[in-house]
Structure formats: C-alpha cells, structure tokens
Amino acid sequence: MTRDDFAANDAPMQNEDIVICKRAFDHICATGHITADDACDELATQIIYFYQHGVTNEDSLEQLLVSIAEKQR
C-alpha cells in the first residue's frame, strides 16, 4: 500500500513529515511565541492536525500557527 492509497489526513507520517513538523515546533517555541508546557502540547497537536490536512509547507505552517498563537493571547 502506498501513501496515495490513504486519505490525506489518514496517511501515516513519514520521517520527512516529522522532521518538518518538529522544525516548525522548535522554531515557534524558540522565537517565544509559545512557552508554557500545556501550550506546547496544544501547539504540537495543531501542527500535526494542520500538516495532515494539507498545510505541508514549513513556512506556511509556522505562519498559520504563530497567527493562531497571537490571537489566543
């Protein structure tokens, strides 16, 4: 079974997907947009959600999540 056999949000994440998500997470946390542990957990959940629903460009993913974080302040 190939990745194309799955719906986009049901596809198992590959190593390169995880690397992109981790880099986005680390960058958002490092720039101070997210610092609290519970907020970091929520950020990780949001990153996976949006990535699996089509926001796979790292810069776009970061911009979207930073925007969400700023609105929640």
Side-chain angles (χ1 to χ4, degrees):
M1 186 173 278
T2 68
R3 187 176 186 160
D4 293 336
D5 295 329
F6 292 92
N9 58 344
D10 291 334
M13 292 180 72
Q14 303 297 312
N15 285 338
E16 65 260 13
D17 302 321
I18 295 167
V19 168
I20 291 169
C21 291
K22 175 85 168 92
R23 256 194 327 249
F25 176 86
D26 290 343
H27 186 255
I28 292 168
C29 290
T31 56
H33 293 286
I34 304 287
T35 55
D37 287 343
D38 56 337
C40 288
D41 291 344
E42 179 65 23
L43 173 64
T45 300
Q46 289 176 335
I47 287 172
I48 299 299
Y49 175 84
F50 287 118
Y51 191 89
Q52 288 181 323
H53 285 83
V55 185
T56 57
N57 176 277
E58 188 174 342
D59 291 332
S60 297
L61 189 59
E62 285 183 29
Q63 289 174 357
L64 173 63
L65 292 160
V66 166
S67 174
I68 291 169
E70 288 174 351
K71 287 180 183 178
Q72 292 176 345
R73 288 184 183 182

